[in-house]
Amino acid sequence: MPKNIRFADDGWAYWVAGNDTSTIYLHEWVNPNGRSYIDIGIRVRQITETKELKLYIPFQVEHDELEDISFQLENPKLFRATFDATGLYEPMKNKYTSEIALKGEVIDLVHISLFGYEIQACDEGAMFSLSISRLQEYLDNDTAYFYFRLPQKSLMKMCEKTDDAKILLRRMRDLISSPMQLEKYGHSVRINEARRLPDTITKQGEFHRQKLDKTILSVSIHEDYRINEANCYRIQRMEENLYKDFAPDGYDCGSAITYIWRETREDNKRGHFSFYINLSNEVVSTSSMAIYLFLLLIFGAGGNALWTLISYLLGLG
């Protein structure tokens, strides 16, 4: 069976200037035939001892491409889906933060679109930074949560159709050989692995003093796609009634499955976390079927013409 195999290798970096322990939540909305997105949640504990938050994004992002989705947690359904728990949401405790309470903890929810942040080009990616020193006077608790969405450009590049002549010729050969096509993608997500980061990151002392405690990666994709699920922490069908008003435009929540992985410092004392995901899908190629029908028509018409010619020649004899 012909294969279309593509890869994306994302190296993220996260650290703070100060003394904290943090958890990062990455949720990828994978859409191989359209736009993919990633939701990023960052929970910073001991934030009163923190001065600045830094996040290296492994693809280029413009300031206006970031969407602050923290306000949507006011929706009780989304709150329950995001934190897997019920809780309380108190909006706008001050001009930059709201407050949420869940599982015995009270957390400042920071609305970064109101407070402000910076995104600057950094090597092949972008650097997100936020001044927590300036935020301190608006914080009432020892833990804060940041929640925003970005277009996942690595995945979109991995899945995009190319017009390269060699690839088109190979695809034409594959289409003729079989009507079944295997789409196969490999996607790695690495957090704070120096080998995948530019020197501008690895030369910063604060990066090497980071205290990232846990990373949770979740991937939502259409149920037709198969995924390596052996090491999943949890697999669940996406609850359409919880996510339909929150998912990116055009995303089919009713047909999506969510796969969840997690790693902690118990798994890796250095806080360097790595995930690798295989995605595959077998599809009947409409292009291949069209080529089959076209060839059948050509050979059918050609065979009929050849038979007419032979009959005519034999008749002359």
Side-chain angles (χ1 to χ4, degrees):
M1 179 184 297
K3 298 180 180 180
N4 175 28
I5 305 176
R6 306 289 292 277
F7 298 93
D9 190 5
D10 285 344
W12 299 75
Y14 166 82
W15 72 98
V16 297
N19 180 27
D20 88 305
T21 56
S22 302
T23 300
I24 288 185
Y25 306 84
L26 303 175
H27 179 81
E28 294 187 328
W29 304 85
V30 183
N31 184 2
N33 299 311
R35 293 182 62 81
S36 295
Y37 291 86
I38 182 167
D39 295 348
I40 301 172
I42 301 175
R43 182 183 294 199
V44 181
R45 295 180 173 85
Q46 301 178 37
I47 196 167
T48 55
E49 302 178 38
T50 302
K51 301 175 183 177
E52 189 175 29
L53 184 153
K54 294 275 193 177
L55 177 70
Y56 174 72
I57 303 163
F59 44 84
Q60 295 182 353
V61 178
E62 300 297 330
H63 192 278
D64 59 0
E65 290 182 298
L66 184 149
E67 179 185 357
D68 183 359
I69 53 178
S70 61
F71 293 100
Q72 300 207 42
L73 291 175
E74 188 171 5
N75 182 330
K77 291 183 178 180
L78 180 62
F79 188 103
R80 186 167 73 252
T82 301
F83 297 110
D84 195 24
T86 56
L88 300 177
Y89 180 100
E90 185 172 348
M92 302 312 297
K93 292 274 290 185
N94 54 60
K95 63 180 181 178
Y96 296 133
T97 71
S98 297
E99 193 172 78
I100 55 179
L102 72 156
K103 299 179 180 179
E105 187 177 16
V106 182
I107 300 170
D108 288 309
L109 178 64
V110 181
H111 304 299
I112 64 174
S113 58
L114 301 179
F115 179 72
Y117 58 90
E118 292 184 2
I119 290 185
Q120 298 179 338
C122 180
D123 292 272
E124 297 181 356
M127 179 66 73
F128 170 91
S129 58
L130 187 144
S131 173
I132 295 180
S133 294
R134 189 167 61 86
L135 181 64
Q136 289 290 353
E137 62 179 296
Y138 303 100
L139 300 175
D140 295 325
N141 302 287
D142 194 44
T143 301
Y145 193 75
F146 306 83
Y147 199 30
F148 52 94
R149 174 176 293 168
L150 300 170
Q152 220 304 1
K153 295 183 179 180
S154 293
L155 293 181
M156 287 190 280
K157 183 177 180 180
M158 178 181 73
C159 297
E160 71 181 355
K161 303 299 184 290
T162 179
D163 293 331
D164 180 84
K166 291 183 179 179
I167 294 178
L168 288 176
L169 288 173
R170 186 168 66 247
R171 288 188 64 212
M172 181 65 71
R173 178 203 65 196
D174 293 342
L175 290 174
I176 294 174
S177 66
S178 171
M180 297 299 297
Q181 301 292 303
L182 176 62
E183 298 177 355
K184 190 171 183 180
Y185 305 100
H187 177 39
S188 64
V189 179
R190 313 191 205 188
I191 298 94
N192 290 347
E193 278 200 7
R195 68 179 66 188
R196 284 293 298 130
L197 298 173
D199 291 342
T200 51
I201 304 298
T202 58
K203 289 181 179 179
Q204 298 193 38
E206 293 288 354
F207 166 73
H208 296 283
R209 291 191 288 272
Q210 58 83 21
K211 296 182 179 180
L212 183 57
D213 184 60
K214 179 168 60 176
T215 296
I216 296 177
L217 171 67
S218 56
V219 174
S220 293
I221 192 167
H222 194 278
E223 60 188 352
D224 287 345
Y225 282 80
R226 293 180 296 176
I227 198 166
N228 56 318
E229 58 188 51
N231 296 319
C232 282
Y233 163 66
R234 182 183 299 172
I235 304 171
Q236 60 195 33
R237 177 169 289 278
M238 178 169 284
E239 300 90 342
E240 185 176 9
N241 64 316
L242 300 182
Y243 286 100
K244 63 181 180 180
D245 297 325
F246 176 69
D249 291 342
Y251 197 86
D252 184 8
C253 295
S255 301
I257 305 293
T258 299
Y259 303 82
I260 305 171
W261 295 263
R262 68 175 180 177
E263 288 192 5
T264 69
R265 277 189 177 266
E266 294 179 1
D267 308 309
N268 189 322
K269 298 300 183 183
R270 298 179 299 171
H272 301 174
F273 305 134
S274 180
F275 308 88
Y276 188 80
I277 303 161
N278 281 319
L279 303 170
S280 62
N281 183 31
E282 293 182 7
V283 295
V284 177
S285 171
T286 55
S287 300
S288 182
M289 295 303 295
I291 291 173
Y292 275 123
L293 292 174
F294 176 75
L295 292 176
L296 182 63
L297 179 63
I298 293 297
F299 287 126
N304 185 60
L306 181 60
W307 174 252
T308 301
L309 177 61
I310 293 173
S311 298
Y312 173 76
L313 294 175
L314 290 176
L316 288 180

